[in-house]
Amino acid sequence: MKLPAINLDLLRSIPLVQKVGLLVLVLAGIVVGFYYFVAEPKSSEIAGLQVAIGTLDSEIQTLTIKVKHLDELIAASKQLEIELAKKKERLPPEEEAVMLLKQVSDLGIRLGLDIKLWKPSPKTEDASKLFVRMPVNVEVSGGYHTAALFFDRINALPRIVTVSGLKMGAPKFEKGRVVTQTVFDLIAYAAPEETKLAAVVPVTPEKK
């Protein structure tokens, strides 16, 4: 297909002002066409990419915060596991806890306390299943400083033994010394007994 021939004589006959105006119109058309067909679509695409980038930045920041919190939670969980392991080391078996309570009773007698009441209560298992409480209701009679030393020795025990519900009566003068009646609950903590699996008796096949 041949392009139409340009009439040079016709172009020469057009005044310069009209030539300039025509050139301006052609250039304006090119600019407008470039804007609508090239620049405008690209601008919309760029705006869409900017929105997408902003969304991704927000998601990245959120994930970064979550990861930071996750690291903190993991570190806290590990610390709790360490503390739990240390506490488990201080939890004796129940049989040993019973002996421990006997040792505490003997300790009070050695220090000079008169054991008026030593009444064990039924053991209770904690809801966490991690330990059992073995409480004893105790009443002792003796000097104030002797009782204070007794409680200090209990607090220094390597196993977990606590004193609660402490009540001290009015001091009295007996046998040349001042004594007080002290009532409290002594609680020893022990590891729960492991469930023993029933022994499986092997079946000997019958001889044919």
Side-chain angles (χ1 to χ4, degrees), residues 144-179:
Y144 173 80
H145 294 290
T146 304
L149 179 60
F150 176 59
F151 295 135
D152 183 67
R153 294 285 181 85
I154 291 175
N155 186 57
L157 289 172
R159 302 298 193 178
I160 303 177
V161 180
T162 61
V163 174
S164 62
L166 181 64
K167 296 179 182 178
M168 300 189 74
K172 297 179 182 179
F173 192 76
E174 293 181 1
K175 298 179 182 181
R177 62 173 186 159
V178 177
V179 298

Side-chain angles (χ1 to χ4, degrees), residues 2-189:
K2 296 182 179 181
L3 295 175
I6 299 174
N7 193 332
L8 296 179
D9 294 333
L10 180 60
L11 288 176
R12 293 191 186 95
S13 63
I14 297 174
L16 180 60
V17 175
Q18 291 182 2
K19 288 181 181 179
V20 173
L22 181 60
L23 180 61
V24 170
L25 289 175
V26 172
L27 292 176
I30 293 173
V31 171
V32 171
F34 176 80
Y35 176 78
Y36 281 105
F37 293 103
V38 179
E40 178 65 18
K42 292 295 182 183
S43 298
S44 300
E45 184 179 352
I46 292 172
L49 290 175
Q50 289 176 339
V51 172
I53 290 172
T55 302
L56 289 175
D57 286 340
S58 178
E59 291 178 358
I60 290 171
Q61 291 177 2
T62 302
L63 291 174
T64 301
I65 294 173
K66 288 182 177 180
V67 169
K68 181 180 179 181
H69 288 173
L70 179 61
D71 291 340
E72 293 174 353
L73 289 174
I74 292 174
S77 177
K78 289 182 179 178
Q79 183 62 34
L80 288 175
E81 288 178 359
I82 293 173
E83 293 178 3
L84 180 59
K86 289 181 179 178
K87 290 185 181 297
K88 282 184 176 180
E89 290 177 357
R90 298 183 63 192
L91 292 174
E94 291 184 20
E95 296 82 0
E96 186 178 331
V98 172
M99 295 300 299
L100 176 63
L101 290 171
K102 177 65 168 57
Q103 292 172 5
V104 172
S105 174
D106 294 341
L107 172 63
I109 295 173
R110 289 199 305 271
L111 292 175
L113 293 175
D114 184 11
I115 308 296
K116 298 290 186 181
L117 177 68
W118 186 271
K119 183 180 179 182
S121 299
K123 67 181 181 181
T124 57
E125 186 175 30
D126 187 73
S128 65
K129 307 294 184 181
L130 296 176
F131 59 87
V132 295
R133 298 180 181 87
M134 305 179 68
V136 181
N137 184 242
V138 184
E139 182 180 349
V140 298
S141 175
Y144 173 80
H145 294 290
T146 304
L149 179 60
F150 176 59
F151 295 135
D152 183 67
R153 294 285 181 85
I154 291 175
N155 186 57
L157 289 172
R159 302 298 193 178
I160 303 177
V161 180
T162 61
V163 174
S164 62
L166 181 64
K167 296 179 182 178
M168 300 189 74
K172 297 179 182 179
F173 192 76
E174 293 181 1
K175 298 179 182 181
R177 62 173 186 159
V178 177
V179 298
T180 58
Q181 299 286 348
T182 306
V183 178
F184 59 92
D185 292 321
L186 187 68
I187 304 176
Y189 293 80

